[in-house]
Amino acid sequence: DCGCFAFSNTTPQTLSVCARLFAAGADVPGWIIRLYHTRSLAITRLLGAMLSTLTVSAGGRIASAYLTRQAIADCGGTDGDIDGLIDTLRAIEGVEIALLVRDTAPGQSKASIRTVTVDAGKLAAAFGGGGHIRAAGCTLQGDARAAHGVLLAAAEKAL
C-alpha cells in the first residue's frame, strides 16, 4: 500500500508497475477515485460521529477520537467501515499522533494508532498490541471513551 503514491514505500518500481498498467489500458485514475475519493453514506456518517468526539491535545500534536457501539450502529456502519477514518485525524495540520478508539465488545475496545514522529508499534506494545513504526493497534479494556483517555495519556507521555 503506497497510499496513492504518498507513502515512503513508493519506489521507482512502484511507479514503473503503474506506468505498465497505464500502458496496458488500465483505468488507474478510476481505481484511485474508487479507492481514495469515494465513501459510503455509512462511512460519511461515521466520520461525523468520530469528529464529534475529536480531542486535540499536546499543542495540536495529538488528534484523538472514539466511537461507541451505539454510534456505529446509529450510523449504519460496520467495523470494516471504520478502518480508514483515522486518516482524517492524521491529516490535521501539525498532528504527529492520531488515535482512534472504538468499542468492540462490552468492556473492550480496539485502538488504531498512526504517527509521524513517535514509534506507533512501541506505543501499541505498551498495551499488548503491535504493528509498525507509523501504524499500529491494540486492544484495551474498558469502553471506548474510557480506553480513549488511557491511550491519550500514554500518547502524551510518548511525545
Side-chain angles (χ1 to χ4, degrees):
D1 176 14
C2 64
C4 201
F5 310 116
F7 296 162
S8 62
N9 64 345
T10 300
T11 64
Q13 181 181 1
T14 307
L15 297 173
S16 176
V17 168
C18 190
R20 289 195 307 267
L21 287 169
F22 263 112
D27 182 18
V28 175
W31 294 347
I32 291 171
I33 289 168
R34 286 188 294 283
L35 288 171
Y36 295 101
H37 303 293
T38 304
R39 68 172 66 100
S40 70
L41 179 58
I43 292 172
T44 302
R45 288 180 173 152
L46 283 167
L47 180 60
M50 177 191 72
L51 291 174
S52 75
T53 67
L54 174 64
T55 300
V56 178
S57 58
R61 296 169 65 196
I62 300 175
S64 60
Y66 62 89
L67 286 166
T68 65
R69 289 295 324 150
Q70 188 63 52
I72 296 166
D74 289 349
C75 294
T78 66
D79 287 341
D81 291 333
I82 298 167
D83 291 340
L85 295 180
I86 193 166
D87 297 330
T88 298
L89 301 177
R90 175 48 214 105
I92 297 170
E93 185 177 10
V95 167
E96 297 175 32
I97 301 175
L99 310 170
L100 178 57
V101 182
R102 68 175 184 228
D103 285 330
T104 54
Q108 191 173 57
S109 300
K110 179 180 177 184
S112 295
I113 303 165
R114 302 291 182 272
T115 65
V116 176
T117 55
V118 172
D119 186 333
K122 186 175 178 181
L123 181 56
F127 297 96
H132 304 282
I133 192 166
R134 298 291 168 243
C138 59
T139 299
L140 299 156
Q141 296 304 308
D143 65 27
R145 185 176 185 168
H148 168 263
V150 170
L151 184 60
L152 178 56
E156 288 172 341
K157 288 179 185 174
L159 283 175

